[in-house]
Amino acid sequence: MLKYIRRSLALILMSALLIVSLSTGVIAAPLVINQTVEKQNITSGVVLEQYNRFTTSGWIRTNVLRVDLSNENVKVDSLINPAGIKKTSTVNNLAKSNGALAAVNACFFDTSTGTPFGPVAGNGEFAMANAGDNSDYIATFAIDKLNRTFYQYWKTEIELITPNESRKNVAAYNNYNGYYNYNMYIVDSKWGSTTPGVSKKYPVWTEMVVEDGVVKEFSENKPGIPIPKNGYVVMATMGNEKFLTDNFKVGDPVSYEIKLNVDNSQMQMALTGGSMLVQGGKVAPYFTHSAAGESRQPRTAAGTTEDGKTLLIVTVDGRQKNDSIGMTQAELAEYMKELGCANAINFDGGSSTTMVARQEGDTDITTVNTPSEGLRGVSASLGVFSIGPQGPVDSLLVSAYEDYAFVNTARAFTVKGVDKYLNPVAIDSKDIEWSVTGVKGTFEDNVFTPTTAGQAVITAKIGDSVIGTCPLTVLSAPVKLELNLDVLNTSPGKATTFAVKGWDKNGFSASIHPSNVKWSVLNKVGTVESNVFTAGKSGTGYVSASFAGVSVFCPVSISQPGIKKVIEDFNSSTALSVDLSAKTVTAKYDPATNAYKSGPYSGKLTYDFTKGLQENRAAYINLPGGGKTLDSTATKLGMWVYSSNNKPLWIGAIINDKKGTPHYKYFTKDVNWTGWKYLEMSLDDISGPAKITKVYAIQTTKKKSSGTLYFDDLTMVYSGYPEVAPSKSAVTTVPKDDTYKDRTVSGTDSLSFSVFGQSVGYDKNKDKTQTSMLNSLAAKINKEMQASVVVGSYDNLWPSLKVPSLSTTASYKAMDKNGSRLIQLNTTKGGLRATDYNEWFWFKNQLSSFTGNNLFIFLSQNPSSFNDTKEGQVLKDMLADYKKQNPGKNVWVFYKGSSNSSYMDKGVKYITTAGFDAADFSDKNKAAAKYVSVKVKGDTVTYQFKALN
């Protein structure tokens, strides 16, 4: 809940949200880019709808309970804590303790006392009421015994009636919070079990106990007493105690009346919220109560359709930047109207917003939204009940954990029974008869193994009439397998569970049950039983999984102490900088090719320590990149040092500990050898993870010294995982790509174009190799291609082009040519929405308006690497849906990546091109830089990666 201030006569209470009146038109509602919805019938007359919206402002997740008020098997009522209305509880616990199958939070409440604001009624009687006028700011939602709904601003009066029919105003019913407001208070067992009794604040205190409608006793200036189950207690002070003793005596009849400015004779339940959001089919002209209205927050609301037959109970998740941003109060009002509400009320929101419901066919309730701060205690809430009688099983709900399965793999199904009111019924799995249509296969209990591919319908049946079905798409044999782990670094004896996923030739995937997979271990690095691998004592090797002639391998490395890893090989041809201890010292660093340990270079330090003999003289070589970070388990550092003769030198290194404090450590304090020698130092006294920044030579004596030292293979010794050597026996199956071929195309239905990836700009004077190769590519494109595309964040190609071109460095744009549409998208700010949300609507129009055969989309990056990864998935899903709806069309996506590769995903082909960022590109290996040559003829598309020269 947010901070809130409420007016109640002379009393100012602290609550959740600030009350003011304001106009509703504050922030325009965001436009919807994409929306998904899941629906399930959780009982007869109640549907749970879960919406996930991608909008121009971000993600908004909502949950809607759509309740049929005309259904005689459904009841809606207030939920009150059985321990007392002033005690808060989570919505989950309120639903469970009251037997509801779904619920949301409702009333705003005083966070210091737990007391709800405004009248509350449930099960046909009041649970709490304050004397006062709410008609100017907070509205009450009510349902009568005929299931008619009302949205009204109530004025409430509470009167105590004496035996002679005279009346006396009462401040509140079940709303005493330790502050006496000049009039008497009435509490009953819905308030608590014991009265407050006398206190230092109110030393004169009278409590009149009423049981079965008559005065039972008076308790004057005494501690609290039990509140009768079948009665109530009238509490008085500030002179009102005299009214009680003057007008009542033990045995007298007594009653009270809660009067409203509306007819409440048929009232079943009532909950007070905040402002009306929608009135008479229109958004309220102004809000009488603002719940952090102008900021986007989690929200809760309820409303009914024009005919009054459908109640919509709504939660909006918020304060979750990447998942749900929430709504302003004005946006909530517009949303309630959009859902079909003719009238709607705002309830407490913020961290109170919670919806719970049981899932279809289940008995237990779960939280279906995502509360912003977890489950918190709230006040009176709104519950939905199923009151239909328990019946025999009427239908079955059949489901599988995935919609796809490969031929000849096992897929288990779950079955739940429900009666005619859609309430859960226990069933015996032995009574179920299984069958399938659309494909062939076999059943073993609830496990189906298909033997042919296609669209299957699985049927579960009990007797002749109780039936349930579940669709299943059976894929042909996979062409590629993936494990849940790419690499396994483990420790001796540790068990690891593997899972296998397969992909068919069109990019549709399904998990494969471990029992259908052939498992094995290479190099005796451990054992595997089913899909559980147990590491041996030491070594490296592979775990393999094979199915239908396709294999995948996972490298395995078992940790061991004393692993050596070269962290600086001094093989760069670029000189490193050298710091000197004094002006009298001279030294320089050069890459050396005449002496090295592992080649082709070593680090050569030429020094002169012949001056300034009164102080230490040192030369410090700065390691590249500001130094090398050491593994947290590193115990030693080693380095090869070459000397041509004995020298009075110390060889050391500067190592920063985890706090950044430098430590001066030494490999040796006497160079007393010739040739190469491997030196080591201990790191035991340095807290890691540490970082080595410099290696150096220092002379601490007054002797003159000059000469040359060579350094090579700076090595870290740590407890780690040995590198796994490549093996010819461990080659993962790569699917064959039938579209990877070169050909010549011509005619009015043909098209040839190139795609090149570029991530940085190239200067013609500094980057001569790249510039020359781009010029060669431009000439080739101008001669052989009809169009050119550059994907990435830079484009040095277009100035030399004479053919139409596209580039992801520019704004979004489309080009139609010979039955193909080429679409460039702009994601320079990390996604379409962040760059320009209008691009989304333009792109969707490009899809819907296209009538040709081939659709090509160009991106500067992989959709999965968008700043908002969910947005990237929306794009991929949108293209997959487009392909599903247009199976005869080709949908290809090109983007800049770090490799030249391709893959299929749900019918869509993705091609990534690296350009000059290919891993093995260099001046000596220019052929590694490639472009994509695409050839189109009618509805047939092929491609090849080709060298630029």
Side-chain angles (χ1 to χ4, degrees), residues 557-580:
S557 180
I558 300 174
S559 63
Q560 62 186 66
I563 300 296
K564 291 185 177 182
K565 179 180 180 180
V566 175
I567 58 175
E568 175 56 50
D569 57 15
F570 299 98
N571 275 340
S572 173
S573 60
T574 303
L576 300 179
S577 63
V578 178
D579 294 336
L580 306 176

Side-chain angles (χ1 to χ4, degrees), residues 295-331:
S295 62
R296 290 193 171 105
Q297 301 288 343
R299 302 283 178 179
T300 305
T304 44
T305 53
E306 185 176 3
D307 60 9
K309 293 182 179 180
T310 304
L311 171 66
L312 291 94
I313 306 170
V314 178
T315 60
V316 181
D317 286 344
R319 301 177 185 170
Q320 301 163 47
K321 180 179 179 182
N322 297 323
D323 291 313
S324 189
I325 59 175
M327 290 184 181
T328 67
Q329 193 162 293
E331 289 170 351

Side-chain angles (χ1 to χ4, degrees), residues 8 202 212 328 332 447 547 719 735 745 762 768 850 896 917:
S8 178
Y202 302 112
D212 295 325
T328 67
L332 178 64
V447 178
F547 174 75
S719 296
V745 296
Y762 298 107
K768 294 182 179 181
F850 180 54
K896 171 67 180 68
D917 294 327

Side-chain angles (χ1 to χ4, degrees), residues 767-831:
D767 307 300
K768 294 182 179 181
T769 297
Q770 290 88 342
T771 301
S772 174
M773 293 177 69
L774 286 172
N775 289 335
S776 298
L777 176 58
K780 184 179 295 187
I781 292 171
N782 291 332
K783 180 179 180 181
E784 302 175 1
M785 300 294 176
Q786 295 167 275
S788 168
V789 183
V790 171
V791 292
S793 50
Y794 286 86
D795 182 0
N796 282 114
L797 197 58
W798 70 268
S800 303
L801 296 175
K802 298 179 182 179
V803 298
S805 64
L806 297 176
S807 175
T808 59
T809 62
S811 183
Y812 47 94
K813 175 182 175 183
M815 176 193 304
D816 287 348
K817 200 165 185 67
N818 298 348
S820 296
R821 175 166 289 179
L822 287 72
I823 301 175
Q824 74 180 31
L825 296 176
N826 189 324
T827 61
T828 52
K829 295 184 179 179

Side-chain angles (χ1 to χ4, degrees), residues 417-464:
V418 294
D419 64 14
K420 67 178 182 179
Y421 305 111
L422 302 181
N423 293 322
V425 178
I427 58 174
D428 190 339
S429 60
K430 296 179 182 178
D431 296 333
I432 300 174
E433 179 183 345
W434 293 92
S435 62
V436 63
T437 58
V439 302
K440 296 179 180 180
T442 60
F443 283 95
E444 184 174 343
D445 295 328
N446 65 321
V447 178
F448 175 62
T449 302
T451 55
T452 61
Q455 297 297 323
V457 176
I458 305 298
T459 300
K461 185 177 180 182
I462 296 178
D464 295 327

